[in-house]
Amino acid sequence: MKYTVEMSNKLNELLERTYDAEKGFQQVAEKVENPVIKEFFEKRAKQRYDFGHELKNEIRAYGQSPDKGGSTKATLHRSWINFKSLFTTNNEEAMLKEVKRGENEAIETYNDIINDKDFILPPSTESLLMKQRNAIRETLETAELYETAVS
């Protein structure tokens, strides 16, 4: 029982990050003018929405309840994105830098759970987390390409 509660807590941490990323991507999509970058952000928001449902199903498989909302820290982070965009001459570049920072943090969180020696992940959970982490890596790589293009 302790194992399933601890594992669901770790998955709920990822779920909170996923909610936060979804909201953050939605917010930056509303602020950028470049249609290609706007579409990139919108697709990532949808991707994170889908990630959230996958994580919720995994948490329920552990017999636990998924969290319902994003974290306070992320709300502050999204507010910072909003504030910074008011004073930055190149909104797309600033937002892409912030996205990269957030994606790097997300990858670290996934790696911490995947590589945690205190837990042996069931194959389905490990596969899900690796799939999501790899998709986040792809987002990071694309954000870096876009950042180079707009700078």
Side-chain angles (χ1 to χ4, degrees):
M1 177 67 175
K2 181 182 175 196
Y3 176 83
T4 60
V5 171
E6 289 179 19
M7 182 51 65
S8 68
N9 287 342
K10 289 186 175 287
L11 294 176
N12 267 313
E13 178 186 343
L14 282 180
L15 182 59
E16 276 192 18
R17 281 192 163 276
T18 300
Y19 289 144
D20 297 340
E22 178 189 355
K23 291 173 190 170
F25 279 122
Q26 288 170 342
Q27 182 181 7
V28 294
E30 292 169 4
K31 298 197 177 301
V32 298
E33 295 177 16
N34 182 312
V36 174
I37 295 174
K38 179 185 265 319
E39 181 182 13
F40 168 71
F41 288 146
E42 289 169 344
K43 285 183 177 179
R44 292 315 169 267
K46 170 68 169 94
Q47 177 190 58
R48 298 310 160 84
Y49 174 84
D50 294 340
F51 282 6
H53 283 285
E54 293 170 347
L55 289 168
K56 286 178 192 177
N57 289 337
E58 201 69 18
I59 292 165
R60 287 185 190 108
Y62 284 99
Q64 302 299 312
S65 298
D67 287 343
K68 302 269 189 248
S71 69
T72 304
K73 181 179 175 183
T75 300
L76 295 173
H77 177 66
R78 285 191 302 274
S79 296
W80 184 89
I81 289 173
N82 190 37
F83 178 77
K84 185 172 182 174
S85 71
L86 296 174
F87 300 102
T88 305
T89 56
N90 187 339
N91 289 350
E92 282 88 3
E93 184 178 4
M95 290 181 194
L96 286 162
K97 282 183 184 195
E98 244 343 84
V99 164
K100 285 174 32 186
R101 189 191 66 73
E103 295 298 80
N104 276 318
E105 286 182 9
I107 289 169
E108 286 178 32
T109 302
Y110 274 85
N111 284 339
D112 288 347
I113 293 171
I114 292 168
N115 299 321
D116 189 335
K117 301 298 182 207
D118 294 333
F119 291 101
I120 297 171
L121 295 172
S124 65
T125 303
E126 184 175 16
S127 175
L128 172 66
L129 297 182
M130 290 176 77
K131 176 185 75 91
Q132 290 184 354
R133 182 202 56 198
N134 292 342
I136 293 168
R137 280 185 179 151
E138 290 174 17
T139 297
L140 179 61
E141 291 168 6
T142 303
E144 288 171 349
L145 290 173
Y146 286 145
E147 182 186 10
T148 301
V150 299
S151 61

